[in-house]
Amino acid sequence: MIYKRYLLVFLSGIFILAGCETLRVSRPIMPVKEYEKMIAGRLDADYVGTARCLSACHSHDGIKHNFEASTMGAQLSKKSGMPIVDCESCHGPGSLAIEGITPEKVEQDRKEGKETKCKFETLLDFKTLPAQALSLICLKCHTANATFNLHNWNAATHSINDVSCSDCHKIHKGPDLIVSPKETSEMCYRCHQEARAEFSLPSHHPVPEKKVFCTDCHDPHGGVLSEKLLRKNTIKEQCTQCHADKEGPYVYEHAETMENCSTCHNWHGSVNNNLLIVREPFLCLQCHEGHRISSTSSVESKSSYYTRCTDCHSTIHGTDIPSASGKGRFIQ
Ligand code: HEC
Ligand code: HEC
Ligand code: HEC
Ligand code: HEC
Ligand code: HEC
Ligand code: HEC
Ligand code: HEC
Ligand code: HEC
Ligand code: HEC
């Protein structure tokens, strides 16, 4: 495993030397230190604390109340009794932003019918920060140790493709920061429209019905080994997490087809019954020839057995029971 990883690093080294043009996105690869500098904020500013930040300005009261009611805002340091996370933990040091703002000035502005604005340009400008730097703001505290989900973050598809924590987690949407399974599909469809289309096909996993959730199968922060952010090592393991009856082993296996459920099934949705990639009998006829059967069968008409092979071969995923001829024909 480790050997393989070295090989990969070695090969990708060659790849980069061989031709940067072929890389999908051309963006400079920066050392983490550079991102750290970006999120340090203005070096000539000082941290002043939320109380001083917001004492004169009530336009952010809503944000403040929500934040203080959230798990993140409610954490107090055991040592100092001070909040562990405050506005400046993310927005950067605020002394320059509030410079010159006094209760008198706010009162004066109010009389003149003006709104007092802080110099927010001196705070971190989230709109221009690269995604990696934005995520680093959160990763300062949410290390893989503190937030276990994040142990695969750096190598995962989302972080590699410039999706940042705050693309999904809206810190100021309300006091509840937990993402409930029910809100995930809408969160994901914002960027994955094709998945929405797949889940509206006639046969689909009941995601729209809110019985199964994107996060049952995917970990948006990074999957185990697999590049599609799956929670399990293989598609089969992912499927049998819920469909344990299809796992086997059986005395009569359907050969190697069962190693990967997606030989026959789609994962999100399909126009065919039972999420099949191709409808019966064509699914079976990809690998088998059709056949006639002897008169002992109750189904005599040719058309019926060419429509649904599984009317007879009903234990198509494998069985422990031999057929009449003593073989594994998945008849029952
Ligand atoms: C955990 C990080 C974090 C903390 C703590 C935080 N913010 Fe924010 N804030 C953000 C992010 C990220 C944005 C950008 C908008 C977004 O993605 O939700 C933002 C946006 C804002 C905005 C712009 C208006 C808006 O809603 O887009 C204001 C104002 C603001 N924050 C004020 C505050 C105040 C006041 C506090 C302290 C009570 C605070 N923030 C604490 C991360 C944070
Ligand atoms: C200064 C440290 C710090 C920073 C920076 C920070 N967090 Fe947090 N966050 C915490 C702490 C402490 C908690 C509460 C304890 C916990 O649940 O881990 C928390 C809780 C959360 C929760 C809720 C977890 C729960 O179970 O209720 C979410 C979601 C979250 N943070 C996301 C973010 C995002 C996104 C960012 C970056 C925009 C961020 N945090 C930045 C320290 C931080
Ligand atoms: C693609 C969307 C997405 C991105 C990007 C993302 N998250 Fe999450 N996050 C979720 C979803 C959905 C959940 C809830 C399900 C789960 O636990 O996996 C969650 C859960 C969490 C939790 C646990 C609290 C909760 O809401 O259940 C924390 C803490 C957290 N994320 C922090 C982060 C941090 C820090 C980053 C960036 C390094 C990040 N997330 C990036 C979607 C995302
Ligand atoms: C802000 C946009 C954004 C959001 C929100 C988002 N994603 Fe993604 N996701 C991406 C990008 C960009 C990629 C990179 C691959 C691509 O181009 O599709 C990606 C890739 C993926 C992949 C791997 C696809 C592949 O071909 O390797 C999966 C699986 C995935 N996202 C699931 C989710 C889930 C589940 C959610 C919701 C919790 C979610 N995403 C939310 C932008 C997003
Ligand atoms: C029942 C499990 C399951 C659920 C639920 C699920 N997915 Fe997937 N998803 C998969 C599997 C399996 C793959 C393919 C993995 C592979 O090719 O290795 C996949 C692939 C993807 C991809 C990559 C593109 C593609 O279709 O190959 C995206 C993006 C994605 N899923 C997003 C989502 C979103 C968004 C949701 C929720 C709305 C969701 N998934 C719900 C199992 C699931
Ligand atoms: C989180 C649990 C879960 C996972 C993981 C899961 N399924 Fe399902 N599956 C369900 C549920 C729930 C249903 C709907 C059952 C019902 O309606 O009675 C379902 C239905 C199905 C159906 C029947 C669909 C229909 O139209 O009747 C098939 C086929 C199927 N799943 C295959 C798979 C495959 C293949 C995978 C792996 C890619 C998988 N499932 C992963 C929970 C899951
Ligand atoms: C050789 C093709 C094939 C493979 C491989 C396959 N299936 Fe199926 N599956 C079918 C067919 C055909 C049906 C419809 C059966 C019927 O109509 O009686 C079906 C139906 C199902 C159903 C819904 C009906 C039921 O029996 O509950 C589920 C769930 C399911 N498969 C899960 C799986 C899982 C999980 C895997 C991988 C471990 C898998 N299948 C692999 C062909 C296959
Ligand atoms: C991806 C190819 C593939 C698909 C699709 C497939 N099978 Fe198979 N099937 C095999 C292989 C390989 C074997 C084992 C080799 C053999 O003896 O023919 C097998 C074995 C069988 C057997 C036992 C044959 C014997 O000689 O012991 C039956 C019956 C069978 N399949 C029926 C079906 C039916 C019905 C379908 C459609 C629902 C189907 N298969 C779909 C590849 C496939
Ligand atoms: C009316 C019931 C019935 C239908 C429908 C049916 N089969 Fe069969 N099939 C059987 C029986 C019975 C056997 C022999 C069982 C035994 O050997 O004990 C068999 C045997 C097989 C075999 C084993 C190889 C052989 O020729 O002996 C394969 C492969 C097979 N069927 C595939 C299919 C496919 C593909 C379809 C759909 C196009 C299908 N069957 C439809 C009843 C049926």
Side-chain angles (χ1 to χ4, degrees), residues 50 54 60 63-65 67-68 72 85-91 126 134 137-138 166-167 169-173:
T50 297
L54 300 180
H60 296 332
I63 289 181
K64 179 170 177 282
H65 291 316
F67 186 66
E68 283 173 356
M72 192 146 53
V85 197
D86 65 11
C87 314
E88 293 170 294
S89 312
C90 296
H91 290 281
F126 292 159
L134 265 178
I137 294 179
C138 318
S166 30
D167 280 329
H169 293 281
K170 296 294 164 201
I171 298 297
H172 299 307
K173 79 174 168 22

